[in-house]
Amino acid sequence: MSALTFDAVPHVLDDDEIPFVLGFAPDPRPSLEIDGVQYRRASDRCLIDYDLAPLRLRALLLHLDDGNVYLMANAGPLFNEWWPLLQGDLDNPLRPYLSAGAARKPVTMSIAAGSVNVTVTQPSPELNMTVLVVGIGPGMTDAHLLLSAGLALPVIKAALSTLVEYRSLVGDIPDVDIQTGETTLALDDMLTYAAHAADAIGWDRKH
C-alpha cells in the first residue's frame, strides 16, 4: 500500500479547483487511493474524495497566501444572498449551522474519540461561496495531509448539514436546477442527497 504523502498524490487538479462537497459522477482522473479514499492534487491543494455510491463526498486541503493550509468543504453559492437576513436572526434552532456562520462562531463536530471546531464562512471576494473550514497549520506538509484525511468527514458533514438548512429558509423549494460541476439536478433532489449523505456520517454537532 502506498503511503499518504503529498508527492505520491497524482498532480491532476486544476490550480483554481474548489469542487462542490457533493460529486454526482465518477472522477476519471488518476488518484492515490488508500482505504477507499481517493486523493488528487494541484500544486497548492489536495482533494479528498469519499465514495458513497452514487455520490462522492469531497473536501479540499488548500494552501493560502497567508502560508497556512485549511481543510474545507464547499457548500456553494446557495446562501450568498441570505446572509443579511441570517445576521438578523441569530441562534435560530432550525438552522444552527447557518446561525453559527452568521454569528461568526464555530460549530463543534464530535464523535466518541474527540471533537473539532468547524467555521461556517460567509462569501468573500476571494471565495464567493459558503465554505466550511478547519485551520490545519503552516505549510502543505505530509503531516498536515494525514491530519486532514482524519478531519475531512466532520468538515464534509458540516457542509452537508448547512445545505440541508436551506429548507428552513423557504416554504416550498424553488423549482430550479443546480449546476454542481459535472452535472445538473433539481435543487430539491440535491438537498435530499445532502441530507442522506449527512446521515451516513457518524460525526455530529455538539449541542
Side-chain angles (χ1 to χ4, degrees), residues 79 159-168 191-196 198:
F79 302 106
L160 295 170
S161 300
T162 301
L163 287 170
V164 171
E165 290 180 359
Y166 182 79
R167 293 188 185 277
S168 73
L191 296 175
T192 299
Y193 278 122
H196 290 328

Side-chain angles (χ1 to χ4, degrees), residues 6-84:
F6 192 67
D7 286 342
V9 177
H11 192 299
V12 295
L13 294 187
D14 295 332
D15 285 339
D16 60 352
E17 196 165 338
I18 305 178
F20 187 57
V21 65
L22 288 173
F24 295 91
D27 191 329
R29 297 173 295 184
S31 68
L32 174 66
E33 184 166 336
I34 298 177
D35 296 330
V37 183
Q38 295 182 345
Y39 301 87
R40 299 174 176 88
R41 73 172 178 92
S43 57
D44 64 349
R45 65 198 66 202
C46 185
L47 179 62
I48 304 172
D49 266 2
Y50 289 83
D51 181 54
L52 184 67
L55 305 174
R56 282 174 294 113
L57 309 182
R58 321 194 81 177
L60 186 74
L61 184 66
L62 181 60
H63 191 186
L64 294 182
D65 291 341
D66 65 3
N68 292 309
V69 293
Y70 299 87
L71 180 65
M72 61 181 63
N74 173 17
L78 187 61
F79 302 106
N80 282 13
E81 306 302 322
W82 287 96
W83 286 106

Side-chain angles (χ1 to χ4, degrees), residues 18 62 64 72 121-131 133:
I18 305 178
L62 181 60
L64 294 182
M72 61 181 63
T121 71
Q122 303 176 27
S124 68
E126 295 76 25
L127 290 174
N128 191 31
M129 61 193 74
T130 298
V131 294
V133 179

